[in-house]
Amino acid sequence: MPTPTITIIGSLNTDLITRTPRLPHPGETLTATSFSTGCGGKGCNQAVACARLSRSSSSSPSSGDAPSLITTRMLGAVGDDEFGGTLIEGLQRNGVDASDVSVVKGQRTGAAVIVVEEDTGENRILLTPGANFSVTPTSVPEALFLEGKKEEEEEEEKKKPALVILQLEIPLETVVHVCKRARANGVPVLLNPAPAPAEGKDGLPVDVFMGLEHLILNETEAGMLSGLDLPPPPSSSSSPYDKARLADICHHFHDLGVMNVILTLGARGVYWSSSGGGSSSSSSKLDSGFIPATTVPKVVDTTAAGDTFVGAYAVAVVLSGEEEEEG
């Protein structure tokens, strides 16, 4: 029996990371502590998180050759520059199937300029999409959503993905297309609507939420997409948000058709709400709860923390589904 597959359709960026004690003031030149480059993009980060976290507990997290309980596939695009090959190699080194990553001639690889304040670990990011905007609806093969044989001579059948993960660093029309095709073919989707979409005609269409299995978003994204303000809690990082307001936001998305809503609240933790397979906040099976975050002595860097959470959640969902099938 083939292992379940998580397919991530999203962005691949080269991260240009500067660490500094503080941000410079306008017109000020400040000597930074360090500079480094790395592989990033929300799609890439989530794919690597899925691949690392789906290995057996006895395996090294960064060992791409270790046996995995889940196959992780990445669909995206890089430019034909010095960064593109490095990103593909990074995916493969971490155990991600990168055969669906295209190299686009004449395009630059997406890039993210990241400034990290050392005292707080908080980051600020400037994103240049580059080749990521070449991931159009025609880039996504219909075969992705269908079951069938891998090759004529092979007996083992290819299963549909157990889960497709999407973010908003590729064209919005592609996200909408994948959601519709996945829904039509019974493939579950996890949507992480980040970066927060613009309002108005360029915003996220409401029909994206209809039948959506999993929605993971932070406070900013939740407020923008629901239209409901989320007043900040007291200054203490351990102080919870108004749970009634969090419930209202989740109910908004349930009413649009989302089954499971996960609100990530930074250092405070996570608020979750599930309609139990239904698509309305009035469902008698509606369940919810708050999970406080684990306290750490010092926050080093929050870059990709949300993407790592998405990967961990996705792996847990798929593995729990496999257990239910076997049971």
Side-chain angles (χ1 to χ4, degrees), residues 220-255:
T220 301
E221 295 144 8
M224 292 185 68
L225 288 172
S226 69
L228 300 173
D229 293 331
L230 185 58
S235 58
S236 170
S237 63
S238 61
S239 300
Y241 280 89
D242 180 350
K243 292 183 181 179
R245 193 58 166 172
L246 295 173
D248 288 342
I249 291 175
C250 290
H251 291 175
H252 170 84
F253 292 114
H254 287 314
D255 286 340

Side-chain angles (χ1 to χ4, degrees), residues 116-175:
V116 180
E117 290 186 89
E118 292 181 309
D119 289 345
T120 63
E122 294 292 337
N123 63 66
R124 290 166 175 80
I125 302 174
L126 290 170
L127 177 67
T128 304
N132 290 310
F133 273 20
S134 299
V135 184
T136 61
T138 57
S139 304
V140 183
E142 184 67 17
L144 170 70
F145 308 108
L146 305 175
E147 292 186 357
K149 292 185 178 180
K150 293 181 179 179
E151 299 291 346
E152 290 292 332
E153 65 273 12
E154 292 189 16
E155 294 297 326
E156 185 179 29
E157 290 188 353
K158 184 191 75 171
K159 295 175 65 176
K160 292 186 289 188
L163 186 67
V164 168
I165 302 178
L166 292 163
Q167 329 78 33
L168 300 184
E169 289 183 342
I170 57 175
L172 186 57
E173 63 176 341
T174 306
V175 174

Side-chain angles (χ1 to χ4, degrees), residues 48-67:
V48 169
C50 287
R52 289 186 174 187
L53 293 171
S54 62
R55 298 192 190 114
S56 61
S57 58
S58 59
S59 303
S60 170
S62 59
S63 174
D65 296 330

Side-chain angles (χ1 to χ4, degrees), residues 66 71 91 156 181 193 198 202 212:
T71 298
L91 288 169
E156 185 179 29
R181 297 310 303 145
D202 296 323
L212 182 66

